[in-house]
Amino acid sequence: MDYVSALVPPVVMAVFFIALVRVIVKTQGGAAKAKEDAAVDAAMARVHSGGTSQGGAATDA
């Protein structure tokens, strides 16, 4: 019965990991996807235009 006690923890962790991945995949997109995409696009535009979001100084490297 030692093999059963040796296999239970990895099997339990695998089940929880698969469940976590499924939850993450299912929650991608949805109603807030457009708002999130717009926020990322705005942040990227600020970075590419040299703007800052926190009032700090922008430097060119």
Side-chain angles (χ1 to χ4, degrees):
M1 294 305 288
D2 287 337
Y3 62 90
V4 173
S5 62
L7 289 176
V8 169
V11 170
V12 170
M13 289 191 313
V15 168
F16 280 119
F17 180 74
I18 291 169
L20 175 66
V21 170
R22 291 187 69 192
V23 167
I24 290 172
V25 169
K26 283 186 174 187
T27 58
Q28 297 299 310
K33 184 173 182 4
K35 183 193 282 188
E36 293 170 0
D37 288 345
V40 170
D41 289 340
M44 291 301 290
R46 277 195 307 269
V47 168
H48 288 300
S49 69
T52 61
S53 62
Q54 297 294 327
T59 59
D60 292 331

